[in-house]
Amino acid sequence: MRAPQDECGLRRALESAARELQNDGVLVPALEGKLLRPALAWSLLPEERRGAGDSGFAMGALAIQMVHEASLLHDDILDEAVTRRGRASLAADRGTGAALVLGDQYLTAAYRAACRSGNDRFLHLFIEAVERTVAGEAAQARHAGRMLDDPAYRELIRGKSGELFGAAAALAALWRELSAADVHEARELGRDVGALYQMVDDFLDYCPRSDTGKAPFQDYRQRKYTFVLGEGGIEGFDAPPEQVATRLFAGGGSSPMYRALDRLRSTRTDLVDRARRLFGGAEEISRLLDGWVREAHRALELHEPDARLSLQGLSTDPTPFVARQARAVGGPEAWGEYFGRHSKSFQFAARLFPPAPRADVEGVYAFCRFTDDLVDEAGVPPEEARRRLEAWRELVRSAYEGEKTGVPLADRVMARLAGSAAPFHYVDDLLNGVAMDLEPVRYDTLEDLETYTYRVASVVGGWITELFGLHDPHLLQRAYALGHAMQLTNILRDVGEDLRRGRLYLPLSRMEACGVDPDALQALAERGQVPQGYPELMEELMEVADHHYENAFEAIPCLPVYYRRPVAVAARVYQGIHDEIRRNGYDNGSRRAYTSFLRKLRLGLTGLRDLRRQQRADAVEGEALIGLLAAGDGTPGSTY
């Protein structure tokens, strides 16, 4: 979403104000991102009033931006976001505490900047805007899972997302010395501009090809009502995202998504007209809002070809599409980003690998993640997803056999797999496991579930183990055990999320034995209401996972030195999720068990300690065995 035309002038003004604060020891965030809220104020300010020399205006605009930066840090904690602006979020990288404290520092420093604006009327408006923004966030949390009418939705986003934009527009009106009534009108205009910004963001969430830095349909998965659902006549959050996407995109140019786009356009026109009447001109704000609406239009057009393919059931060969998507992942230099985006716990442990082995692990992880994402896109029917999987299978098989496909993810990863004498069946099993998720499947027994966990997780452990030249069946069985354990932990952590996607992995026979009715789990997912017998079920399944962890841990000292520590740390960090589930009162339906950076650090240190103990125990057993062998060599009748 674009900033104003004179972006350099805006940045110079803000940087000058920031330096003034920094000289007094005030902590100021880096002026990154699009600076949209200061940009709105800048677009409404006469050219003669712009420039670094007008420090009062710049201080006010900087204060607004600082509150926004604080809110991003706090939002990342609430949303458990792993990336922000293309890199790891502070909460993911350094933990919740670090993000919370830095956000508070930015927030308190923003009040000092607002005071330095030198305008008491702005300071009053600014304080009220911050209070209303916080109240809006709280209101959104209260409304989670509720279907709203249009006035309620509009008021919600005007509070949550519009208040800082409102303060920005009021700032411009004050510096233009408009009347009190016009300042109030400017503030209301800004709140509605912020509401449009939020509506565009809500729209992009339902366009899987949009580059928003977050997974598509995240709002729907988090049960947040947006106007897109209203346009589609969606009346609840029970349907899988795939069904919702089919409904939203059905009808081509008259689909609910195109109706939603028309609403964005009409809202933009109304706002520009209001700005023109109030400020006597609207050229720059028009450019600003046009950029937002164009981004929504581009995202819709980008998705549309694949939506038509999915909805009309065309027989087009999916291979070019699959190859294009795989190329977009990039080469080895980009694969490490998958850790930060998708697996904070695994990324934490992988830091202990030396560069070359870590590159191998990142390649395998990127391959697995891409395979899963290839078919997990909202709106793709199961039959189309299977065709994509088979196209990907044939492409990577060709790469494994030495053919150059021009897809780095296939060529580099498969060449490394073949060169290590690891069998291709790991890839086959993985793809078969991913295919098991294409339609709702329930598992009667734990043994049935372990067929799934083997294919989607154990094979990855075996793959990496053989990649490092270890082909001993005993070690491979322990690698498979670790895969079973970690996948079962994932299943227990994500019960609510899976239920909202129409999936239930908990073994039905174990549920029945504990007296847990599968239908009662909907209350768990919607309201966090833990059914009777559910804690016992969780403890039983965690005990199964713990058994697999300990089984795997016995073999870790047999691994290469550079491989031992990351595996030991990964095992204990994942296993630590069990305690987080307990701390949440076994509510893994409406809450997600989350381990902070400090908690991961403690768990990782526990893993390293347990590894040293296991190594010492193995050394003692080895010495005893050597002693027995030595004694047997000189003892008549010895069986050695």
Side-chain angles (χ1 to χ4, degrees):
M1 299 186 187
R2 292 181 55 190
Q5 191 174 32
D6 185 18
E7 182 180 353
C8 293
L10 171 62
R11 287 188 181 273
R12 283 195 300 268
L14 293 176
E15 287 168 357
S16 177
R19 284 193 297 271
E20 183 179 333
L21 289 176
Q22 289 167 339
N23 289 338
D24 289 342
V26 178
L27 186 64
V28 180
L31 296 173
E32 299 177 328
K34 301 177 181 68
L35 307 175
L36 293 176
R37 292 146 192 84
L40 175 63
W42 192 257
S43 71
L44 297 174
L45 196 66
E47 290 188 16
E48 63 270 16
R49 296 300 302 270
R50 296 176 180 176
D54 196 341
S55 61
F57 173 86
M59 279 293 181
L62 180 61
I64 293 169
Q65 181 64 21
M66 291 172 73
V67 173
H68 173 62
E69 294 291 340
S71 72
L72 295 182
L73 291 167
H74 293 164
D75 283 350
D76 287 345
I77 296 171
L78 294 174
D79 296 340
E80 299 181 359
V82 296
T83 59
R84 172 66 65 183
R85 292 169 179 157
R87 55 180 180 266
S89 67
L90 184 65
D93 186 43
R94 294 176 53 194
T96 298
L100 184 63
V101 169
L102 186 60
D104 289 346
Q105 288 179 307
Y106 288 163
L107 184 60
T108 54
Y111 285 102
R112 183 179 297 195
C115 288
R116 291 202 182 187
S117 71
N119 190 302
D120 289 343
R121 292 175 66 193
F122 170 72
L123 179 60
H124 175 79
L125 291 171
F126 171 80
I127 292 172
E128 193 172 47
V130 176
E131 291 172 345
R132 288 182 174 182
T133 299
V134 175
E137 289 286 354
Q140 179 172 269
R142 290 196 304 272
H143 285 84
R146 300 179 185 176
M147 304 305 290
L148 306 178
D149 58 23
D150 194 68
Y153 166 72
R154 182 175 176 78
E155 192 56 32
L156 182 67
I157 61 175
R158 288 179 87 235
K160 169 183 173 290
S161 303
E163 287 295 342
L164 293 181
F165 281 98
L171 175 66
L174 288 168
W175 254 254
R176 294 180 71 127
E177 300 179 350
L178 300 184
S179 68
D182 285 345
V183 171
H184 173 76
E185 181 60 30
R187 183 182 186 182
E188 292 303 302
L189 170 67
R191 293 182 72 199
D192 287 335
V193 168
L196 174 62
Y197 176 78
Q198 185 61 54
M199 290 171 68
V200 171
D201 188 68
D202 292 345
F203 181 91
L204 294 176
D205 186 65
Y206 287 87
C207 296
R209 296 281 182 265
S210 61
D211 184 16
T212 62
K214 63 180 182 180
F217 277 59
Q218 180 170 297
D219 290 341
Y220 183 80
R221 297 181 202 280
Q222 294 178 351
R223 306 173 68 78
K224 296 179 183 177
Y225 177 85
T226 67
F227 82 107
V228 178
L229 297 180
E231 292 292 342
I234 310 298
E235 299 179 350
F237 298 94
D238 297 328
E242 295 80 5
Q243 292 183 14
V244 174
T246 299
R247 185 166 179 175
L248 291 176
F249 283 93
S254 60
S255 70
M257 291 300 288
Y258 273 100
R259 293 200 300 270
L261 180 63
D262 287 342
R263 182 170 171 184
L264 296 178
R265 287 171 172 156
S266 64
T267 302
R268 171 262 170 209
T269 299
D270 175 67
L271 291 172
V272 171
D273 288 344
R274 288 168 59 188
R276 185 177 293 111
R277 290 194 298 269
L278 183 60
F279 293 100
E283 182 179 351
E284 286 205 27
I285 191 174
S286 178
R287 275 197 295 267
L288 181 66
L289 303 188
D290 283 347
W292 298 356
V293 175
R294 276 198 302 272
E295 184 172 350
H297 192 183
R298 282 195 299 267
L300 181 55
E301 288 186 327
L302 193 61
H303 177 81
E304 194 60 17
D306 293 316
R308 286 197 299 268
L309 175 64
S310 300
L311 296 173
Q312 297 176 13
L314 301 179
S315 58
T316 307
D317 179 9
T319 303
F321 169 81
V322 170
R324 185 170 66 250
Q325 294 297 104
R327 290 191 191 97
V329 174
E333 69 281 355
W335 296 342
E337 296 178 9
Y338 278 71
F339 283 121
R341 292 181 187 174
H342 300 289
S343 181
K344 291 178 282 187
S345 297
F346 196 39
Q347 180 196 34
F348 180 87
R351 295 172 182 173
L352 298 175
F353 278 111
R358 175 169 180 166
D360 284 334
V361 173
E362 289 176 346
V364 174
Y365 187 87
F367 183 96
C368 297
R369 189 72 243 180
F370 170 78
T371 301
D372 191 56
D373 290 345
L374 185 65
V375 300
D376 209 25
E377 175 191 328
V380 178
E383 60 272 20
E384 174 60 20
R386 287 193 180 86
R387 294 173 65 246
R388 291 183 182 183
L389 274 179
E390 290 309 309
W392 180 232
R393 191 193 308 269
E394 292 307 311
L395 191 149
V396 298
R397 189 190 303 275
S398 297
Y400 180 84
E401 293 172 354
E403 179 181 337
K404 293 296 182 183
T405 67
V407 177
L409 187 62
D411 292 341
R412 296 289 293 271
V413 175
M414 289 299 101
R416 185 71 182 88
L417 180 67
S420 66
F424 188 78
H425 77 71
Y426 287 129
V427 178
D428 271 331
D429 288 340
L430 174 70
L431 269 63
N432 292 338
V434 170
M436 293 174 72
D437 276 333
L438 295 180
E439 293 181 342
V441 174
R442 293 195 173 186
Y443 301 93
D444 290 328
T445 67
L446 183 62
E447 290 72 23
D448 294 335
L449 177 62
E450 288 189 344
T451 298
Y452 171 76
T453 60
Y454 170 81
R455 289 177 174 176
V456 299
S458 295
V459 297
V460 179
W463 180 342
I464 294 174
T465 300
E466 295 210 49
L467 203 62
F468 293 152
L470 304 171
H471 308 288
D472 178 73
H474 173 78
L475 287 179
L476 292 176
Q477 289 299 322
R478 297 304 188 273
Y480 300 155
L482 185 57
H484 285 306
M486 296 172 81
Q487 188 61 32
L488 185 52
T489 296
N490 282 338
I491 288 170
L492 298 179
R493 180 192 61 192
D494 298 334
V495 169
E497 180 179 339
D498 290 330
L499 284 170
R500 289 187 285 274
R501 300 173 70 184
R503 298 172 180 173
L504 175 62
Y505 295 99
L506 304 178
L508 298 178
S509 61
R510 299 294 178 105
M511 292 179 63
E512 183 179 1
C514 293
V516 178
D517 182 355
D519 294 336
L521 296 183
Q522 290 304 319
L524 175 70
E526 295 172 4
R527 300 184 297 277
Q529 183 176 325
V530 178
Q532 185 176 2
Y534 192 75
E536 291 77 9
L537 173 65
M538 291 297 99
E539 288 294 340
E540 181 177 334
L541 294 176
M542 284 190 278
E543 182 179 353
V544 173
D546 288 342
H547 173 75
H548 284 309
Y549 281 117
E550 300 312 315
N551 192 14
F553 220 91
E554 293 175 3
I556 294 178
C558 302
L559 301 174
V561 173
Y562 65 79
Y563 195 8
R564 297 173 192 169
R565 294 194 304 161
V567 175
V569 169
R572 291 304 184 229
V573 168
Y574 262 86
Q575 194 173 13
I577 293 173
H578 296 173
D579 284 335
E580 302 304 321
I581 294 173
R582 295 182 180 105
R583 288 190 180 92
N584 289 342
Y586 301 95
D587 175 13
N588 50 9
S590 65
R591 303 176 67 182
R592 193 172 192 267
Y594 172 80
T595 51
S596 68
F597 177 83
L598 290 177
R599 178 69 176 151
K600 287 185 177 71
L601 185 60
R602 295 190 190 99
L603 292 167
L605 292 174
T606 299
L608 296 177
R609 182 199 64 197
D610 292 347
L611 175 60
R612 287 194 296 271
R613 289 177 177 172
Q614 187 69 47
Q615 288 172 328
R616 286 196 294 268
D618 288 352
V620 170
E621 290 178 5
E623 290 172 1
L625 179 59
I626 291 173
L628 285 171
L629 290 171
D633 284 342
T635 303
S638 171
T639 57
Y640 294 101

